[in-house]
Amino acid sequence: MKTQRRPLPPFTLLELVVAIAIIALTTALAVSAFRGESPARQLESAGLQFESFCAKVRFQALENGADRMVVFYPETRTFKMAIPEEFQAKDEEAKEEEEKKLSLAAIEWKLPENFELGTDFADKERELSEEEYFELFRFFPDGGASGSLKFELRYQTLRKVFDISPLTGLLTKSEGDEEQ
């Protein structure tokens, strides 16, 4: 005896609507994931990276008990930690040891593409003579800092301004409004 199969019922309208909604939702998520970050998010990310870089330099000053500088190399658009001359070792053996420690630390931050610095940097770059870099500020072993200028990071029409507290050495940032 052969059993006869009943035909399957067709899809209901509700099932079709749910299937279409799921497809639309996954498509929207995929498009937003591949579209990239917004300018505001990119500026925020770069700002956080710069803050992290400065925190590492400050920590090096606290840990080693000597000043550390944040310097900017305009040609490569790179910020690096440097040791002031007065705190560098005098004899060759100590210098080699110091350089080895610095190479292990390798604290630097490269300015992302399409980002610009504030107008104060253009003036500083013109002042460069023999040096290929200029000092932004120093961190002291007690946690304090010296700030020579405000650091302004620009991306498209957005900007973020960083200032360093001389007393605590902490970096504060303020949101810049869109340029008019």
Side-chain angles (χ1 to χ4, degrees):
M1 190 168 189
K2 224 177 188 187
T3 58
Q4 193 173 21
R5 286 189 175 175
R6 288 191 311 189
L8 295 174
F11 293 114
T12 65
L13 182 59
L14 181 61
E15 290 171 332
L16 286 174
V17 168
V18 168
I20 291 172
I22 290 172
I23 292 170
L25 183 63
T26 55
T27 303
L29 290 174
V31 167
S32 67
F34 290 114
R35 201 173 95 202
E37 291 183 308
S38 70
R41 189 175 299 261
Q42 287 180 350
L43 181 64
E44 181 66 27
S45 175
L48 289 172
Q49 290 171 5
F50 181 72
E51 282 183 86
S52 173
F53 161 75
C54 288
K56 289 176 187 175
V57 175
R58 181 173 179 259
F59 177 74
Q60 284 291 317
L62 291 167
E63 182 180 45
N64 294 308
D67 291 5
R68 295 294 185 255
M69 299 185 306
V70 172
V71 295
F72 178 64
Y73 291 81
E75 196 169 300
T76 59
R77 296 172 41 105
T78 305
F79 294 84
K80 293 184 179 183
M81 177 187 75
I83 300 174
E85 280 188 38
E86 60 267 22
F87 291 99
Q88 291 180 1
K90 303 299 182 222
D91 64 334
E92 288 300 317
E93 190 175 304
K95 272 188 180 181
E96 287 178 18
E97 183 69 28
E98 198 171 75
E99 285 177 11
K100 184 179 175 185
K101 284 182 182 178
L102 279 178
S103 68
L104 290 175
I107 301 172
E108 65 179 48
W109 179 69
K110 187 166 175 60
L111 187 66
E113 288 224 10
N114 302 324
F115 278 75
E116 297 175 6
L117 300 174
T119 54
D120 291 344
F121 280 87
D123 299 336
K124 286 276 192 186
E125 285 180 43
R126 283 189 218 110
E127 295 173 12
L128 291 177
S129 55
E130 337 166 326
E131 302 288 333
E132 71 246 11
Y133 66 87
F134 60 89
E135 178 182 340
L136 293 176
F137 44 82
R138 287 182 187 215
F139 289 102
F140 303 122
D142 65 354
S146 72
S148 60
L149 59 107
K150 287 190 176 187
F151 174 75
E152 184 178 85
L153 187 61
R154 295 174 180 226
Y155 182 67
Q156 295 179 357
T157 59
L158 303 172
R159 66 189 181 106
K160 195 173 282 278
V161 179
F162 297 90
D163 196 11
I164 190 156
S165 168
L167 183 61
T168 64
L170 297 176
L171 207 60
T172 58
K173 63 183 172 185
S174 59
E175 300 294 323
D177 294 330
E178 290 188 12
E179 296 176 15
Q180 275 95 16

